[in-house]
Amino acid sequence: MYQKSIVHYMTKISIDILFITAIICCMLVPFSSNWLYLYFGIGDSQALFVKIILLTSGLTCVYILWQLKVIFKTLLKGNPFIHANVSCLRKIALACLGIALIYLVKMFVMPTISTIVIIVIFVVACLLCLTLKDLFKQSIYYKDENDLTV
Amino acid sequence: MAIIVQLDVMMAKRKIGLMELAEKINITPANLSILKNNKAKAIRFSTLDEICKALNCQPGDILEYREEEDGEEN
C-alpha cells in the first residue's frame, strides 16, 4: 500500500522549480556572450560553440526533468509501477547518454576537468536509470502477479 | 491456462449470485469476477477454503485440469 510522504512532495516541488529554472536558463543561453566572456574568458570565436553545447545539454536536461515530472505524477497518484514509467526511465537514460556524448564532443575542443566529471556523472546516471528501469519492469511483473492472486 | 475455474457452474448449481458469494467469503466482487472469468493467476488456500465452505463443495468441483493444446496461449 502506497503511503504519501512529505519527502515525495518536497522532491516534486524541487523538480518543478528545477524544470522552470532550466527553461529560463535555456532561453537566456543565446544572450550569454558577455557573461561567458566575463566569468570564463570565452571569446567570440568559441562563444557560439559553447552556446550550442549549453543549449543542447540544457534542452536535454529539460527533457529529463519533464520525464521525472511524469514519473512523480504517477507516484503521487499511488501507482508508479506502470509500463509508462519504464518507458520514461529508458528515455531518461538515453537523455543522460546524450548529455555525456555532448560533453564528450566538448572535451575534444575545450578539455576541462569539470567536463570529464560531467561525462562520468551522466554515464553513471544513464546506467543507474537503465538498472532502475529493469527494477520497475520486475516490480510490474510482481504487482500483476499479486493483483491477479485472489 | 490448463487450470480452469468452474466457479460459475457451482454458483449456478447453488443458485448464488456473485455479489452474495463475494459478501459471504469476504472478498471484493471485482476479485471474485477475476476468479470466475479465469483471469486469475493464482488462488490463495484461504480463498479456496472460504469458497468451498460457502458453496458446500470440494476444490475439485471448482477447479479442473484440461491439457493444453500446442500453441495455445495461456
Side-chain angles (χ1 to χ4, degrees), chain B residues 3-7 10 13 48 52 57-65:
Chain B
I3 301 291
I4 310 292
V5 180
Q6 292 190 317
L7 190 62
M10 214 56 209
K13 277 184 187 170
L48 196 57
C52 289
C57 63
Q58 292 296 313
D61 297 330
I62 300 165
L63 304 173
E64 189 195 331
Y65 173 74

Side-chain angles (χ1 to χ4, degrees), chain B:
Chain B
M1 195 184 275
I3 301 291
I4 310 292
V5 180
Q6 292 190 317
L7 190 62
D8 45 355
V9 177
M10 214 56 209
M11 281 165 69
K13 277 184 187 170
R14 299 286 185 263
K15 292 186 176 70
I16 189 168
L18 185 95
M19 298 297 280
E20 194 185 340
L21 183 62
E23 206 172 305
K24 264 189 181 176
I25 63 177
N26 205 23
I27 66 168
T28 62
N31 273 347
L32 192 60
S33 178
I34 287 171
L35 187 62
K36 199 177 129 234
N37 297 321
N38 270 304
K39 298 269 186 257
K41 283 194 175 179
I43 179 166
R44 290 188 188 93
F45 279 148
S46 57
T47 312
L48 196 57
D49 177 51
E50 291 290 330
I51 292 171
C52 289
K53 212 181 281 174
L55 297 177
N56 191 25
C57 63
Q58 292 296 313
D61 297 330
I62 300 165
L63 304 173
E64 189 195 331
Y65 173 74
R66 270 185 220 161
E67 205 163 334
E68 269 183 352
E69 281 175 31
D70 283 343
E72 195 180 315
E73 279 184 31
N74 285 327

Side-chain angles (χ1 to χ4, degrees), chain A residues 45-66:
Chain A
S45 56
Q46 285 184 318
L48 183 67
F49 175 72
V50 172
K51 278 180 193 175
I52 290 169
I53 292 288
L54 286 176
L55 201 61
T56 46
S57 58
L59 288 172
T60 317
C61 274
V62 170
Y63 182 70
I64 290 172
L65 289 165
W66 174 257

Side-chain angles (χ1 to χ4, degrees), chain A residues 141 144-150, chain B residues 27 31 40-44 47:
Chain A
Y141 173 75
D144 284 349
E145 272 297 291
N146 189 52
D147 285 351
L148 292 174
T149 297
V150 181
Chain B
I27 66 168
N31 273 347
K41 283 194 175 179
I43 179 166
R44 290 188 188 93
T47 312

Side-chain angles (χ1 to χ4, degrees), chain A residues 7 34 62 80 100 116 131 133 136:
Chain A
V7 177
N34 289 340
V62 170
I116 297 167
T131 311
K133 181 208 82 176
F136 261 65

Side-chain angles (χ1 to χ4, degrees), chain A residues 88-136:
Chain A
C88 282
L89 283 166
R90 195 189 297 118
K91 286 172 190 168
I92 291 172
L94 281 173
C96 286
L97 192 67
I99 291 175
L101 289 174
I102 288 166
Y103 278 87
L104 197 67
V105 171
K106 183 186 175 278
M107 207 187 71
F108 288 116
V109 181
M110 296 169 69
T112 56
I113 291 171
S114 62
T115 308
I116 297 167
V117 171
I118 289 171
I119 292 168
V120 170
I121 286 172
F122 277 96
V123 166
V124 171
C126 169
L127 295 174
L128 277 174
C129 284
L130 288 175
T131 311
L132 210 57
K133 181 208 82 176
D134 287 338
L135 279 174
F136 261 65

